[in-house]
Amino acid sequence: MIGILALQGDVREHELMLEGLGVSTRQVRKVDELDGLDGLVIPGGESTTIGRLATLYGLMEPLREAIAGGLPTYGTCAGLILLADRLAEGTQPLLGVLDVVVRRNAFGNQNDSFEADLPIHGMIDPFHAVFIRAPWIDSVGDSVEVLASWEGHPIMVRQGHILASAFHPELTKDQRVHHLFVTMTKEI
Ligand code: GLN
């Protein structure tokens, strides 16, 4: 069972993607809904809103503990921002479990939403990636593996049991990134 943090954002798209891979899912809005999960997805959306609601519902510390304690977790876009240790600019609630510095809305107004055929480490064919007001990663710690970069900036990373991408595989039909994550949930 994979949980999807369901406070705001593209929860349904992640559900459909995971169900398409034969995995059962549970929406997570309360602390006890974290119990017994094999993995967790933090969707794309608006990271300030998700962070504010998670704080309001008392979820920040339980989420931090669960993820830091080894719960396999995949964050897309706003989810990547929430997982990060630090922001390049500004302050907002962060889980601080992924050793990266992330820059919100990094691709700028002119180019804020775009699609690109992205080479991803370990995948033979490029991945058609959808970026929507995406962040990029300014710097990564030693334990973080960069799986993909765009314009010289890391936009997909893995740190042990944590996977994060600045783009949205859940908005495409390509299951490969979710498949990678499902594999990670079975490694523990
Ligand atoms: N720009 C959003 C944020 O900062 C992320 C956008 C997204 O998740 N598509 O939270």
Side-chain angles (χ1 to χ4, degrees):
M1 169 87 63
I2 293 184
I4 303 172
L5 187 65
L7 302 174
Q8 189 266 340
D10 63 350
V11 175
R12 185 71 191 133
E13 287 78 0
H14 279 288
E15 272 175 358
L16 290 170
M17 189 60 110
L18 290 167
E19 282 162 14
L21 286 166
V23 176
S24 54
T25 62
R26 176 203 293 160
Q27 296 195 0
V28 173
R29 289 189 197 82
K30 293 186 289 193
V31 175
D32 61 5
E33 289 165 342
L34 284 169
D35 291 346
L37 294 177
D38 303 308
L40 176 73
V41 168
I42 305 182
E46 178 53 49
S47 59
T48 52
T49 305
I50 300 173
R52 194 167 58 234
L53 292 172
T55 305
L56 200 67
Y57 296 164
L59 272 166
M60 286 303 272
E61 203 45 48
L63 280 169
R64 191 175 286 130
E65 268 172 30
I67 301 167
L71 178 66
T73 301
Y74 174 34
T76 58
C77 202
L80 156 62
I81 296 167
L82 281 156
L83 288 169
D85 247 4
R86 271 165 296 149
L87 285 175
E89 283 173 15
T91 47
Q92 65 188 69
L94 298 178
L95 293 168
V97 288
L98 177 63
D99 190 7
V100 301
V101 178
V102 76
R103 184 174 296 274
R104 293 180 63 203
N105 303 318
F107 290 93
N109 293 335
Q110 296 299 314
N111 199 16
D112 67 349
S113 298
F114 61 97
E115 301 184 10
D117 288 320
L118 185 72
I120 296 180
H121 187 74
M123 293 187 189
I124 294 165
D125 296 316
F127 195 96
H128 191 73
V130 178
F131 293 82
I132 304 170
R133 295 184 306 286
W136 73 43
I137 293 170
D138 271 11
S139 61
V140 304
D142 289 343
S143 57
V144 177
E145 186 188 353
V146 175
L147 298 180
S149 297
W150 191 249
E151 295 176 351
H153 306 283
I155 41 83
M156 180 174 176
V157 294
R158 177 172 177 178
Q159 176 189 308
H161 64 289
I162 302 175
L163 181 69
S165 67
F167 57 96
H168 295 274
E170 72 280 11
L171 300 183
T172 71
K173 298 225 180 304
D174 195 331
Q175 299 175 314
R176 287 179 291 165
V177 174
H178 284 76
H179 183 265
L180 167 64
F181 178 57
V182 171
T183 307
M184 288 167 55
T185 69
K186 294 179 178 159
E187 279 170 8
I188 52 160

